Amino acid sequence: MEPRPKSFYVLTAFFALFMLFLYGPTITIGILSFQGEGGGLTFPMRGVSTYWFRDLFQQQAVGDIWGSFSRSIVLGLMVMVTTVTVSVMGGLAFRTRFKGSGILFYLIITALVIPSILISLGVGLLFSQTGLTVHWATSGFGAQLTWTLPFGLLIMFAVFNRFDKSYEEAARDLGASPWQTLRHVVLPIIAPALIGVALFGFTLSYDEFARTLLTAGSYNTLPLEIYGMTTNVTSPVLYALGTLTTLFSLAIIGVFLTIALIGSRRRARAGSDAGKGVL
């Protein structure tokens, strides 16, 4: 085996430092959340226990943790469904050139480069000036879509650019209607991309802070609630909340990956059965 060049070890060390910088804060919060009953917000730890996780499920002196959590879940699901639906429709629409498609594409991408706090301010002002109620389910929902929809549309543009139209032509030749072609041919083929868009939509909404800051109204989402707690809570219960939130996010990602894996196995099994039938 040939000896590795020095550059390999330099890059390895750089990558290790990058991973430490990326995950170090999360690991630190996870460790500090297991402090004893008399623990504080910094090292050294004062005992080891799960006291603060139990305390998290008790009535807190400040904040509405579980109310904000439920709002974030509902808002995330709303954004996820809308993002998937509009992204698929947009991807289908952009398969053929139409007048103004280039301008529309750049307008969609522009939402990604505008500072998030300005989006939040603009949406909040628009609702307040038009007499509409600033609420997490209306203005907050709209502000978050300006963040999730561009990602979803970019994914679907890439998917449909590589989509083989011969599958649709074969379905139409066999007598399938446009809706049947979409439902039984197009959607099953792009299902992994749909799962990816859904994951993007939910996680980006669930974690979003800046675009929700001025559009949530009187009720906080979970990121806003956590930010508010940082100025009032002086115990490791805040770290326990952060740890559970991180685990919940990882669980959501795991669920979507499992769905994608099951779907790919079913398609592989169906393809294998079809091949046996032909033989």
Side-chain angles (χ1 to χ4, degrees), residues 28-59:
T28 300
I29 288 175
I31 294 173
L32 289 174
S33 64
F34 286 96
Q35 290 207 67
E37 186 173 347
L41 296 176
T42 59
F43 290 105
M45 293 179 62
R46 302 173 185 174
V48 178
S49 72
T50 58
Y51 171 81
W52 299 108
F53 289 94
R54 296 193 301 271
D55 185 68
L56 182 61
F57 290 90
Q58 306 300 321
Q59 181 65 40

Short mmCIF file of all heavy atoms in Angstrom, two decimals, residues 28-59:
data_model
loop_
_atom_site.label_atom_id
_atom_site.label_comp_id
_atom_site.label_asym_id
_atom_site.label_seq_id
_atom_site.Cartn_x
_atom_site.Cartn_y
_atom_site.Cartn_z
N THR A 28 -22.37 19.97 22.91
CA THR A 28 -22.20 20.66 24.20
C THR A 28 -23.54 20.86 24.89
O THR A 28 -23.68 20.61 26.09
CB THR A 28 -21.51 22.02 23.98
OG1 THR A 28 -20.23 21.81 23.38
CG2 THR A 28 -21.33 22.75 25.31
N ILE A 29 -24.54 21.30 24.14
CA ILE A 29 -25.87 21.49 24.70
C ILE A 29 -26.44 20.17 25.19
O ILE A 29 -27.05 20.08 26.26
CB ILE A 29 -26.80 22.13 23.65
CG1 ILE A 29 -26.41 23.59 23.44
CG2 ILE A 29 -28.26 22.04 24.09
CD1 ILE A 29 -27.18 24.28 22.35
N GLY A 30 -26.22 19.10 24.40
CA GLY A 30 -26.70 17.79 24.81
C GLY A 30 -26.07 17.33 26.11
O GLY A 30 -26.74 16.77 26.98
N ILE A 31 -24.77 17.57 26.28
CA ILE A 31 -24.08 17.17 27.51
C ILE A 31 -24.59 17.98 28.70
O ILE A 31 -24.92 17.43 29.76
CB ILE A 31 -22.56 17.35 27.34
CG1 ILE A 31 -22.03 16.36 26.29
CG2 ILE A 31 -21.84 17.14 28.67
CD1 ILE A 31 -20.57 16.58 25.94
N LEU A 32 -24.70 19.30 28.53
CA LEU A 32 -25.12 20.16 29.64
C LEU A 32 -26.58 19.92 30.04
O LEU A 32 -26.97 20.24 31.17
CB LEU A 32 -24.93 21.63 29.25
CG LEU A 32 -23.49 22.12 29.17
CD1 LEU A 32 -23.43 23.54 28.64
CD2 LEU A 32 -22.82 22.05 30.55
N SER A 33 -27.39 19.36 29.15
CA SER A 33 -28.79 19.10 29.49
C SER A 33 -28.93 17.97 30.49
O SER A 33 -30.00 17.81 31.08
CB SER A 33 -29.59 18.78 28.22
OG SER A 33 -29.13 17.57 27.63
N PHE A 34 -27.86 17.19 30.72
CA PHE A 34 -27.91 16.07 31.66
C PHE A 34 -27.30 16.44 33.01
O PHE A 34 -26.88 15.56 33.75
CB PHE A 34 -27.19 14.85 31.08
CG PHE A 34 -27.96 14.17 29.99
CD1 PHE A 34 -27.71 14.46 28.66
CD2 PHE A 34 -28.95 13.25 30.29
CE1 PHE A 34 -28.41 13.83 27.65
CE2 PHE A 34 -29.67 12.62 29.28
CZ PHE A 34 -29.39 12.92 27.95
N GLN A 35 -27.26 17.72 33.33
CA GLN A 35 -26.73 18.12 34.63
C GLN A 35 -27.67 17.73 35.76
O GLN A 35 -28.85 17.46 35.55
CB GLN A 35 -26.51 19.64 34.65
CG GLN A 35 -25.37 20.10 33.77
CD GLN A 35 -24.76 21.38 34.29
OE1 GLN A 35 -24.15 21.39 35.36
NE2 GLN A 35 -24.92 22.46 33.54
N GLY A 36 -27.10 17.74 36.95
CA GLY A 36 -27.89 17.43 38.14
C GLY A 36 -28.85 18.55 38.49
O GLY A 36 -28.89 19.59 37.84
N GLU A 37 -29.62 18.34 39.55
CA GLU A 37 -30.66 19.30 39.92
C GLU A 37 -30.11 20.68 40.22
O GLU A 37 -30.77 21.68 40.00
CB GLU A 37 -31.43 18.76 41.12
CG GLU A 37 -32.63 19.61 41.51
CD GLU A 37 -33.46 18.97 42.60
OE1 GLU A 37 -33.25 17.77 42.89
OE2 GLU A 37 -34.33 19.65 43.17
N GLY A 38 -28.88 20.75 40.73
CA GLY A 38 -28.28 22.04 41.06
C GLY A 38 -27.39 22.56 39.96
O GLY A 38 -26.59 23.48 40.19
N GLY A 39 -27.50 22.03 38.75
CA GLY A 39 -26.64 22.42 37.64
C GLY A 39 -26.95 23.79 37.10
O GLY A 39 -28.04 24.33 37.29
N GLY A 40 -25.96 24.35 36.40
CA GLY A 40 -26.12 25.66 35.78
C GLY A 40 -26.01 25.58 34.28
O GLY A 40 -26.18 24.52 33.68
N LEU A 41 -25.73 26.72 33.66
CA LEU A 41 -25.69 26.81 32.21
C LEU A 41 -24.30 26.60 31.63
O LEU A 41 -24.14 26.64 30.41
CB LEU A 41 -26.23 28.18 31.77
CG LEU A 41 -27.70 28.46 32.10
CD1 LEU A 41 -28.07 29.87 31.70
CD2 LEU A 41 -28.61 27.46 31.42
N THR A 42 -23.30 26.42 32.47
CA THR A 42 -21.93 26.29 31.98
C THR A 42 -21.24 25.11 32.66
O THR A 42 -21.73 24.55 33.65
CB THR A 42 -21.12 27.57 32.25
OG1 THR A 42 -21.11 27.83 33.66
CG2 THR A 42 -21.74 28.76 31.54
N PHE A 43 -20.09 24.76 32.13
CA PHE A 43 -19.24 23.77 32.78
C PHE A 43 -18.54 24.43 33.96
O PHE A 43 -18.36 25.65 34.00
CB PHE A 43 -18.20 23.25 31.77
CG PHE A 43 -18.78 22.38 30.69
CD1 PHE A 43 -18.95 22.88 29.41
CD2 PHE A 43 -19.16 21.08 30.96
CE1 PHE A 43 -19.47 22.09 28.41
CE2 PHE A 43 -19.68 20.28 29.96
CZ PHE A 43 -19.84 20.78 28.68
N PRO A 44 -18.09 23.67 34.98
CA PRO A 44 -18.19 22.21 35.09
C PRO A 44 -19.59 21.77 35.49
O PRO A 44 -20.34 22.51 36.11
CB PRO A 44 -17.19 21.88 36.19
CG PRO A 44 -17.16 23.11 37.04
CD PRO A 44 -17.34 24.27 36.11
N MET A 45 -19.94 20.55 35.11
CA MET A 45 -21.25 20.01 35.41
C MET A 45 -21.36 19.68 36.90
O MET A 45 -20.39 19.29 37.53
CB MET A 45 -21.51 18.75 34.58
CG MET A 45 -21.63 19.02 33.10
SD MET A 45 -21.90 17.52 32.12
CE MET A 45 -23.47 16.96 32.77
N ARG A 46 -22.55 19.85 37.42
CA ARG A 46 -22.83 19.54 38.83
C ARG A 46 -23.74 18.31 38.88
O ARG A 46 -24.95 18.41 38.99
CB ARG A 46 -23.51 20.73 39.51
CG ARG A 46 -22.68 22.02 39.45
CD ARG A 46 -23.45 23.19 39.98
NE ARG A 46 -22.73 24.43 39.82
CZ ARG A 46 -23.23 25.65 40.10
NH1 ARG A 46 -24.48 25.75 40.54
NH2 ARG A 46 -22.49 26.73 39.91
N GLY A 47 -23.11 17.18 38.77
CA GLY A 47 -23.87 15.93 38.79
C GLY A 47 -24.39 15.57 37.41
O GLY A 47 -24.33 16.35 36.46
N VAL A 48 -24.92 14.36 37.33
CA VAL A 48 -25.49 13.86 36.08
C VAL A 48 -26.87 13.28 36.38
O VAL A 48 -27.00 12.44 37.28
CB VAL A 48 -24.59 12.78 35.43
CG1 VAL A 48 -25.23 12.24 34.16
CG2 VAL A 48 -23.20 13.34 35.14
N SER A 49 -27.88 13.70 35.64
CA SER A 49 -29.23 13.20 35.85
C SER A 49 -30.10 13.58 34.65
O SER A 49 -29.64 14.27 33.74
CB SER A 49 -29.84 13.78 37.14
OG SER A 49 -30.16 15.16 36.96
N THR A 50 -31.33 13.14 34.70
CA THR A 50 -32.32 13.53 33.69
C THR A 50 -33.35 14.48 34.29
O THR A 50 -34.47 14.60 33.79
CB THR A 50 -33.03 12.28 33.12
OG1 THR A 50 -33.66 11.57 34.20
CG2 THR A 50 -32.04 11.37 32.40
N TYR A 51 -32.97 15.17 35.36
CA TYR A 51 -33.89 16.03 36.09
C TYR A 51 -34.50 17.10 35.18
O TYR A 51 -35.71 17.35 35.22
CB TYR A 51 -33.17 16.70 37.26
CG TYR A 51 -33.98 17.77 37.95
CD1 TYR A 51 -34.94 17.43 38.89
CD2 TYR A 51 -33.80 19.12 37.63
CE1 TYR A 51 -35.71 18.42 39.50
CE2 TYR A 51 -34.55 20.10 38.24
CZ TYR A 51 -35.51 19.75 39.18
OH TYR A 51 -36.26 20.72 39.78
N TRP A 52 -33.67 17.72 34.34
CA TRP A 52 -34.15 18.85 33.54
C TRP A 52 -35.08 18.40 32.42
O TRP A 52 -35.91 19.18 31.95
CB TRP A 52 -32.97 19.65 33.01
CG TRP A 52 -32.14 20.20 34.13
CD1 TRP A 52 -30.90 19.79 34.52
CD2 TRP A 52 -32.53 21.23 35.04
NE1 TRP A 52 -30.49 20.51 35.62
CE2 TRP A 52 -31.46 21.41 35.95
CE3 TRP A 52 -33.66 22.03 35.17
CZ2 TRP A 52 -31.50 22.34 36.98
CZ3 TRP A 52 -33.70 22.97 36.19
CH2 TRP A 52 -32.64 23.11 37.07
N PHE A 53 -34.94 17.16 31.98
CA PHE A 53 -35.89 16.63 31.00
C PHE A 53 -37.26 16.42 31.64
O PHE A 53 -38.29 16.68 31.03
CB PHE A 53 -35.37 15.32 30.41
CG PHE A 53 -34.20 15.49 29.49
CD1 PHE A 53 -32.90 15.37 29.97
CD2 PHE A 53 -34.38 15.80 28.15
CE1 PHE A 53 -31.82 15.53 29.13
CE2 PHE A 53 -33.31 15.96 27.30
CZ PHE A 53 -32.02 15.83 27.80
N ARG A 54 -37.24 15.96 32.90
CA ARG A 54 -38.52 15.81 33.62
C ARG A 54 -39.12 17.17 33.92
O ARG A 54 -40.34 17.36 33.81
CB ARG A 54 -38.29 15.02 34.91
CG ARG A 54 -37.83 13.58 34.70
CD ARG A 54 -37.94 12.78 35.99
NE ARG A 54 -37.14 13.36 37.07
CZ ARG A 54 -35.88 13.06 37.30
NH1 ARG A 54 -35.26 12.18 36.52
NH2 ARG A 54 -35.22 13.62 38.30
N ASP A 55 -38.27 18.12 34.28
CA ASP A 55 -38.76 19.46 34.60
C ASP A 55 -39.36 20.14 33.37
O ASP A 55 -40.27 20.98 33.49
CB ASP A 55 -37.61 20.31 35.14
CG ASP A 55 -38.07 21.68 35.61
OD1 ASP A 55 -38.81 21.74 36.62
OD2 ASP A 55 -37.70 22.68 34.97
N LEU A 56 -38.87 19.77 32.20
CA LEU A 56 -39.36 20.36 30.97
C LEU A 56 -40.84 20.08 30.76
O LEU A 56 -41.56 20.88 30.14
CB LEU A 56 -38.54 19.82 29.78
CG LEU A 56 -38.85 20.37 28.39
CD1 LEU A 56 -38.61 21.87 28.33
CD2 LEU A 56 -38.00 19.66 27.35
N PHE A 57 -41.31 18.94 31.26
CA PHE A 57 -42.71 18.56 31.08
C PHE A 57 -43.60 19.09 32.21
O PHE A 57 -44.80 18.80 32.24
CB PHE A 57 -42.84 17.04 30.99
CG PHE A 57 -42.27 16.48 29.72
CD1 PHE A 57 -40.94 16.10 29.64
CD2 PHE A 57 -43.07 16.35 28.60
CE1 PHE A 57 -40.41 15.58 28.47
CE2 PHE A 57 -42.56 15.84 27.42
CZ PHE A 57 -41.22 15.46 27.36
N GLN A 58 -43.01 19.86 33.13
CA GLN A 58 -43.79 20.51 34.17
C GLN A 58 -44.16 21.92 33.72
O GLN A 58 -43.64 22.45 32.74
CB GLN A 58 -42.98 20.57 35.48
CG GLN A 58 -42.46 19.22 35.94
CD GLN A 58 -43.57 18.21 36.21
OE1 GLN A 58 -44.62 18.58 36.74
NE2 GLN A 58 -43.34 16.96 35.83
N GLN A 59 -45.07 22.55 34.44
CA GLN A 59 -45.48 23.92 34.14
C GLN A 59 -44.30 24.85 34.36
O GLN A 59 -43.72 24.90 35.44
CB GLN A 59 -46.65 24.34 35.03
CG GLN A 59 -47.15 25.75 34.77
CD GLN A 59 -47.75 25.90 33.38
OE1 GLN A 59 -48.45 25.01 32.91
NE2 GLN A 59 -47.50 27.02 32.74
#
